[in-house]
Amino acid sequence: MRYQVVTLFPELIEAAIGVGLLGKAVAAGRVSVTSMSPRRFATNKHLSVDDTPYGGGSGMVMRPDCVLAGMESAERAIAGEQPVRRVLLTPQGARFDQAAARRLSAHESLVLVCGRYEGFDERVRYFVDEEISLGDFVLTGGEVAAMCVVEAVVRLLPGVLGNAESVSEESFSPVCKGLLEYPQYTRPPTFRGHEVPKILLSGDHAKVDAWRAEQSRARTLERRPDLVTEPETASKPKRST
Ligand code: JB8
């Protein structure tokens, strides 16, 4: 898979792709993550990529010409004439989640477009396939969001995670039924006065499975009730005759 990040700060992306499983996948040639700066397509003597907003107001806006030239160059670099999915990272986008990560992992080539300053000239949006937000908070630019997307997508690619079960059993995966994961423990059996639940030391796998399922359910109800849509919690009270 080939990913290009359009960014004024390529060094931010390069620092992030060198380590961990992502670094391994890149080193193995399984994925490429490269970046393209819109600054390369600046035309004035100051190499500006931003300008003042029409209609007035504070701050600066990313120029559409530099952003588009960066996108198109990024695209040619990874895909030639092959199809590419163009993704804009902004706080106004659709909320990113595991389903979006799975969907994007099916694309051979992604171009992730990052802004700085107060954001993009609105016309940039006419040239992208989708707009993604990490959540209801504002970053100083799209780079960290783009790396979140790359991380979430790359670890889903076949052969990137050593243990395929880690992907299929984790929170939000269908096997977990969209619930949060159960609590995990390792040695020592007692840590600063806190014991590992006895059942996990029992060797009774059926009981362990049942305990974990119940922990997942209870933990999800407590922390993320929005994820629970089971019929038992939604059942109507019986009407008496
Ligand atoms: C200027 O929070 B964000 C984000 C914030 C930004 C820009 C792009 C994305 C551009 N601030 O996802």
PDB file of all heavy atoms in Angstrom, residues 44-68:
ATOM      1  N   ASN A  44       5.657  32.622  -5.523  1.00  0.00           N
ATOM      2  CA  ASN A  44       6.230  33.958  -5.303  1.00  0.00           C
ATOM      3  C   ASN A  44       7.601  33.869  -4.625  1.00  0.00           C
ATOM      4  O   ASN A  44       8.046  32.792  -4.237  1.00  0.00           O
ATOM      5  CB  ASN A  44       5.251  34.860  -4.549  1.00  0.00           C
ATOM      6  CG  ASN A  44       5.041  34.398  -3.104  1.00  0.00           C
ATOM      7  OD1 ASN A  44       5.748  33.525  -2.610  1.00  0.00           O
ATOM      8  ND2 ASN A  44       4.064  34.982  -2.455  1.00  0.00           N
ATOM      9  N   LYS A  45       8.250  35.009  -4.486  1.00  0.00           N
ATOM     10  CA  LYS A  45       9.643  34.974  -4.000  1.00  0.00           C
ATOM     11  C   LYS A  45       9.749  34.560  -2.532  1.00  0.00           C
ATOM     12  O   LYS A  45      10.775  34.062  -2.106  1.00  0.00           O
ATOM     13  CB  LYS A  45      10.330  36.328  -4.253  1.00  0.00           C
ATOM     14  CG  LYS A  45       9.798  37.471  -3.410  1.00  0.00           C
ATOM     15  CD  LYS A  45      10.650  38.738  -3.535  1.00  0.00           C
ATOM     16  CE  LYS A  45      10.040  39.816  -2.664  1.00  0.00           C
ATOM     17  NZ  LYS A  45      10.130  41.154  -3.121  1.00  0.00           N
ATOM     18  N   HIS A  46       8.649  34.730  -1.773  1.00  0.00           N
ATOM     19  CA  HIS A  46       8.667  34.298  -0.368  1.00  0.00           C
ATOM     20  C   HIS A  46       8.242  32.843  -0.213  1.00  0.00           C
ATOM     21  O   HIS A  46       8.202  32.322   0.899  1.00  0.00           O
ATOM     22  CB  HIS A  46       7.739  35.185   0.469  1.00  0.00           C
ATOM     23  CG  HIS A  46       8.092  36.641   0.415  1.00  0.00           C
ATOM     24  ND1 HIS A  46       9.232  37.135   1.007  1.00  0.00           N
ATOM     25  CD2 HIS A  46       7.477  37.696  -0.179  1.00  0.00           C
ATOM     26  CE1 HIS A  46       9.306  38.446   0.782  1.00  0.00           C
ATOM     27  NE2 HIS A  46       8.244  38.806   0.053  1.00  0.00           N
ATOM     28  N   LEU A  47       7.907  32.201  -1.319  1.00  0.00           N
ATOM     29  CA  LEU A  47       7.403  30.817  -1.306  1.00  0.00           C
ATOM     30  C   LEU A  47       6.179  30.670  -0.391  1.00  0.00           C
ATOM     31  O   LEU A  47       6.034  29.674   0.337  1.00  0.00           O
ATOM     32  CB  LEU A  47       8.503  29.826  -0.892  1.00  0.00           C
ATOM     33  CG  LEU A  47       9.750  29.776  -1.788  1.00  0.00           C
ATOM     34  CD1 LEU A  47      10.707  28.684  -1.308  1.00  0.00           C
ATOM     35  CD2 LEU A  47       9.383  29.559  -3.260  1.00  0.00           C
ATOM     36  N   SER A  48       5.273  31.664  -0.427  1.00  0.00           N
ATOM     37  CA  SER A  48       4.065  31.605   0.415  1.00  0.00           C
ATOM     38  C   SER A  48       3.115  30.518  -0.065  1.00  0.00           C
ATOM     39  O   SER A  48       2.922  30.330  -1.256  1.00  0.00           O
ATOM     40  CB  SER A  48       3.295  32.928   0.366  1.00  0.00           C
ATOM     41  OG  SER A  48       4.162  34.015   0.384  1.00  0.00           O
ATOM     42  N   VAL A  49       2.515  29.827   0.905  1.00  0.00           N
ATOM     43  CA  VAL A  49       1.471  28.847   0.596  1.00  0.00           C
ATOM     44  C   VAL A  49       0.145  29.264   1.227  1.00  0.00           C
ATOM     45  O   VAL A  49      -0.850  28.566   1.121  1.00  0.00           O
ATOM     46  CB  VAL A  49       1.864  27.445   1.103  1.00  0.00           C
ATOM     47  CG1 VAL A  49       3.047  26.903   0.306  1.00  0.00           C
ATOM     48  CG2 VAL A  49       2.189  27.478   2.587  1.00  0.00           C
ATOM     49  N   ASP A  50       0.161  30.426   1.905  1.00  0.00           N
ATOM     50  CA  ASP A  50      -1.046  30.923   2.573  1.00  0.00           C
ATOM     51  C   ASP A  50      -1.273  32.366   2.144  1.00  0.00           C
ATOM     52  O   ASP A  50      -0.381  33.010   1.595  1.00  0.00           O
ATOM     53  CB  ASP A  50      -0.888  30.848   4.089  1.00  0.00           C
ATOM     54  CG  ASP A  50       0.308  31.659   4.598  1.00  0.00           C
ATOM     55  OD1 ASP A  50       1.268  31.857   3.824  1.00  0.00           O
ATOM     56  OD2 ASP A  50       0.286  32.093   5.757  1.00  0.00           O
ATOM     57  N   ASP A  51      -2.486  32.842   2.409  1.00  0.00           N
ATOM     58  CA  ASP A  51      -2.811  34.229   2.053  1.00  0.00           C
ATOM     59  C   ASP A  51      -3.941  34.705   2.953  1.00  0.00           C
ATOM     60  O   ASP A  51      -4.569  33.894   3.653  1.00  0.00           O
ATOM     61  CB  ASP A  51      -3.205  34.295   0.566  1.00  0.00           C
ATOM     62  CG  ASP A  51      -2.934  35.676  -0.043  1.00  0.00           C
ATOM     63  OD1 ASP A  51      -2.822  36.670   0.703  1.00  0.00           O
ATOM     64  OD2 ASP A  51      -2.859  35.750  -1.291  1.00  0.00           O
ATOM     65  N   THR A  52      -4.207  36.009   2.929  1.00  0.00           N
ATOM     66  CA  THR A  52      -5.237  36.586   3.805  1.00  0.00           C
ATOM     67  C   THR A  52      -6.636  36.204   3.309  1.00  0.00           C
ATOM     68  O   THR A  52      -6.846  36.024   2.112  1.00  0.00           O
ATOM     69  CB  THR A  52      -5.113  38.120   3.825  1.00  0.00           C
ATOM     70  OG1 THR A  52      -5.127  38.586   2.468  1.00  0.00           O
ATOM     71  CG2 THR A  52      -3.816  38.548   4.485  1.00  0.00           C
ATOM     72  N   PRO A  53      -7.591  36.066   4.226  1.00  0.00           N
ATOM     73  CA  PRO A  53      -8.942  35.665   3.813  1.00  0.00           C
ATOM     74  C   PRO A  53      -9.695  36.780   3.081  1.00  0.00           C
ATOM     75  O   PRO A  53      -9.669  37.931   3.525  1.00  0.00           O
ATOM     76  CB  PRO A  53      -9.636  35.318   5.132  1.00  0.00           C
ATOM     77  CG  PRO A  53      -8.861  36.004   6.206  1.00  0.00           C
ATOM     78  CD  PRO A  53      -7.466  36.188   5.702  1.00  0.00           C
ATOM     79  N   TYR A  54     -10.324  36.450   1.961  1.00  0.00           N
ATOM     80  CA  TYR A  54     -11.261  37.377   1.316  1.00  0.00           C
ATOM     81  C   TYR A  54     -12.367  37.711   2.319  1.00  0.00           C
ATOM     82  O   TYR A  54     -12.834  36.824   3.046  1.00  0.00           O
ATOM     83  CB  TYR A  54     -11.904  36.722   0.087  1.00  0.00           C
ATOM     84  CG  TYR A  54     -11.073  36.803  -1.165  1.00  0.00           C
ATOM     85  CD1 TYR A  54     -10.702  35.641  -1.844  1.00  0.00           C
ATOM     86  CD2 TYR A  54     -10.679  38.041  -1.693  1.00  0.00           C
ATOM     87  CE1 TYR A  54      -9.954  35.706  -3.011  1.00  0.00           C
ATOM     88  CE2 TYR A  54      -9.930  38.112  -2.865  1.00  0.00           C
ATOM     89  CZ  TYR A  54      -9.568  36.958  -3.519  1.00  0.00           C
ATOM     90  OH  TYR A  54      -8.839  37.027  -4.669  1.00  0.00           O
ATOM     91  N   GLY A  55     -12.771  38.953   2.327  1.00  0.00           N
ATOM     92  CA  GLY A  55     -13.833  39.373   3.238  1.00  0.00           C
ATOM     93  C   GLY A  55     -13.306  39.806   4.592  1.00  0.00           C
ATOM     94  O   GLY A  55     -14.072  40.229   5.449  1.00  0.00           O
ATOM     95  N   GLY A  56     -12.012  39.662   4.775  1.00  0.00           N
ATOM     96  CA  GLY A  56     -11.380  40.099   6.017  1.00  0.00           C
ATOM     97  C   GLY A  56     -11.430  39.067   7.111  1.00  0.00           C
ATOM     98  O   GLY A  56     -11.931  37.954   6.904  1.00  0.00           O
ATOM     99  N   GLY A  57     -10.918  39.436   8.263  1.00  0.00           N
ATOM    100  CA  GLY A  57     -10.859  38.503   9.379  1.00  0.00           C
ATOM    101  C   GLY A  57      -9.425  38.137   9.702  1.00  0.00           C
ATOM    102  O   GLY A  57      -8.514  38.473   8.948  1.00  0.00           O
ATOM    103  N   SER A  58      -9.284  37.462  10.835  1.00  0.00           N
ATOM    104  CA  SER A  58      -7.929  37.181  11.320  1.00  0.00           C
ATOM    105  C   SER A  58      -7.370  35.917  10.676  1.00  0.00           C
ATOM    106  O   SER A  58      -8.107  35.092  10.144  1.00  0.00           O
ATOM    107  CB  SER A  58      -7.951  37.007  12.835  1.00  0.00           C
ATOM    108  OG  SER A  58      -8.713  35.875  13.159  1.00  0.00           O
ATOM    109  N   GLY A  59      -6.063  35.796  10.745  1.00  0.00           N
ATOM    110  CA  GLY A  59      -5.403  34.567  10.330  1.00  0.00           C
ATOM    111  C   GLY A  59      -5.219  34.444   8.838  1.00  0.00           C
ATOM    112  O   GLY A  59      -5.603  35.331   8.062  1.00  0.00           O
ATOM    113  N   MET A  60      -4.624  33.337   8.436  1.00  0.00           N
ATOM    114  CA  MET A  60      -4.283  33.091   7.040  1.00  0.00           C
ATOM    115  C   MET A  60      -4.945  31.798   6.583  1.00  0.00           C
ATOM    116  O   MET A  60      -5.282  30.938   7.389  1.00  0.00           O
ATOM    117  CB  MET A  60      -2.759  32.970   6.899  1.00  0.00           C
ATOM    118  CG  MET A  60      -2.014  34.223   7.330  1.00  0.00           C
ATOM    119  SD  MET A  60      -2.301  35.610   6.208  1.00  0.00           S
ATOM    120  CE  MET A  60      -1.027  35.320   5.003  1.00  0.00           C
ATOM    121  N   VAL A  61      -5.116  31.684   5.258  1.00  0.00           N
ATOM    122  CA  VAL A  61      -5.797  30.536   4.665  1.00  0.00           C
ATOM    123  C   VAL A  61      -4.846  29.864   3.684  1.00  0.00           C
ATOM    124  O   VAL A  61      -4.105  30.543   2.970  1.00  0.00           O
ATOM    125  CB  VAL A  61      -7.081  31.020   3.929  1.00  0.00           C
ATOM    126  CG1 VAL A  61      -7.776  29.862   3.222  1.00  0.00           C
ATOM    127  CG2 VAL A  61      -8.039  31.692   4.918  1.00  0.00           C
ATOM    128  N   MET A  62      -4.867  28.532   3.647  1.00  0.00           N
ATOM    129  CA  MET A  62      -4.022  27.789   2.692  1.00  0.00           C
ATOM    130  C   MET A  62      -4.499  28.055   1.264  1.00  0.00           C
ATOM    131  O   MET A  62      -5.686  27.888   0.966  1.00  0.00           O
ATOM    132  CB  MET A  62      -4.106  26.281   2.949  1.00  0.00           C
ATOM    133  CG  MET A  62      -3.546  25.828   4.275  1.00  0.00           C
ATOM    134  SD  MET A  62      -1.776  25.528   4.305  1.00  0.00           S
ATOM    135  CE  MET A  62      -1.635  24.021   3.364  1.00  0.00           C
ATOM    136  N   ARG A  63      -3.575  28.415   0.402  1.00  0.00           N
ATOM    137  CA  ARG A  63      -3.920  28.696  -1.005  1.00  0.00           C
ATOM    138  C   ARG A  63      -4.289  27.411  -1.745  1.00  0.00           C
ATOM    139  O   ARG A  63      -3.577  26.416  -1.658  1.00  0.00           O
ATOM    140  CB  ARG A  63      -2.727  29.332  -1.703  1.00  0.00           C
ATOM    141  CG  ARG A  63      -2.430  30.739  -1.267  1.00  0.00           C
ATOM    142  CD  ARG A  63      -1.123  31.192  -1.864  1.00  0.00           C
ATOM    143  NE  ARG A  63      -1.030  30.924  -3.304  1.00  0.00           N
ATOM    144  CZ  ARG A  63      -0.358  31.698  -4.159  1.00  0.00           C
ATOM    145  NH1 ARG A  63       0.265  32.787  -3.714  1.00  0.00           N
ATOM    146  NH2 ARG A  63      -0.301  31.384  -5.426  1.00  0.00           N
ATOM    147  N   PRO A  64      -5.389  27.433  -2.507  1.00  0.00           N
ATOM    148  CA  PRO A  64      -5.807  26.202  -3.187  1.00  0.00           C
ATOM    149  C   PRO A  64      -4.828  25.757  -4.276  1.00  0.00           C
ATOM    150  O   PRO A  64      -4.684  24.552  -4.516  1.00  0.00           O
ATOM    151  CB  PRO A  64      -7.169  26.567  -3.791  1.00  0.00           C
ATOM    152  CG  PRO A  64      -7.166  28.051  -3.894  1.00  0.00           C
ATOM    153  CD  PRO A  64      -6.310  28.548  -2.766  1.00  0.00           C
ATOM    154  N   ASP A  65      -4.171  26.706  -4.936  1.00  0.00           N
ATOM    155  CA  ASP A  65      -3.271  26.311  -6.030  1.00  0.00           C
ATOM    156  C   ASP A  65      -2.096  25.474  -5.523  1.00  0.00           C
ATOM    157  O   ASP A  65      -1.763  24.432  -6.103  1.00  0.00           O
ATOM    158  CB  ASP A  65      -2.800  27.535  -6.827  1.00  0.00           C
ATOM    159  CG  ASP A  65      -2.192  28.623  -5.946  1.00  0.00           C
ATOM    160  OD1 ASP A  65      -2.340  28.552  -4.708  1.00  0.00           O
ATOM    161  OD2 ASP A  65      -1.568  29.550  -6.502  1.00  0.00           O
ATOM    162  N   CYS A  66      -1.495  25.891  -4.408  1.00  0.00           N
ATOM    163  CA  CYS A  66      -0.341  25.154  -3.862  1.00  0.00           C
ATOM    164  C   CYS A  66      -0.771  23.791  -3.322  1.00  0.00           C
ATOM    165  O   CYS A  66      -0.084  22.780  -3.506  1.00  0.00           O
ATOM    166  CB  CYS A  66       0.340  25.957  -2.757  1.00  0.00           C
ATOM    167  SG  CYS A  66       0.873  27.596  -3.283  1.00  0.00           S
ATOM    168  N   VAL A  67      -1.937  23.752  -2.646  1.00  0.00           N
ATOM    169  CA  VAL A  67      -2.428  22.487  -2.081  1.00  0.00           C
ATOM    170  C   VAL A  67      -2.746  21.493  -3.204  1.00  0.00           C
ATOM    171  O   VAL A  67      -2.345  20.322  -3.144  1.00  0.00           O
ATOM    172  CB  VAL A  67      -3.675  22.714  -1.200  1.00  0.00           C
ATOM    173  CG1 VAL A  67      -4.256  21.379  -0.733  1.00  0.00           C
ATOM    174  CG2 VAL A  67      -3.324  23.578   0.013  1.00  0.00           C
ATOM    175  N   LEU A  68      -3.427  21.964  -4.247  1.00  0.00           N
ATOM    176  CA  LEU A  68      -3.785  21.068  -5.365  1.00  0.00           C
ATOM    177  C   LEU A  68      -2.559  20.571  -6.108  1.00  0.00           C
ATOM    178  O   LEU A  68      -2.466  19.383  -6.457  1.00  0.00           O
ATOM    179  CB  LEU A  68      -4.739  21.780  -6.333  1.00  0.00           C
ATOM    180  CG  LEU A  68      -6.201  21.361  -6.237  1.00  0.00           C
ATOM    181  CD1 LEU A  68      -6.390  19.928  -6.695  1.00  0.00           C
ATOM    182  CD2 LEU A  68      -6.723  21.494  -4.807  1.00  0.00           C
TER     183      LEU A  68
END
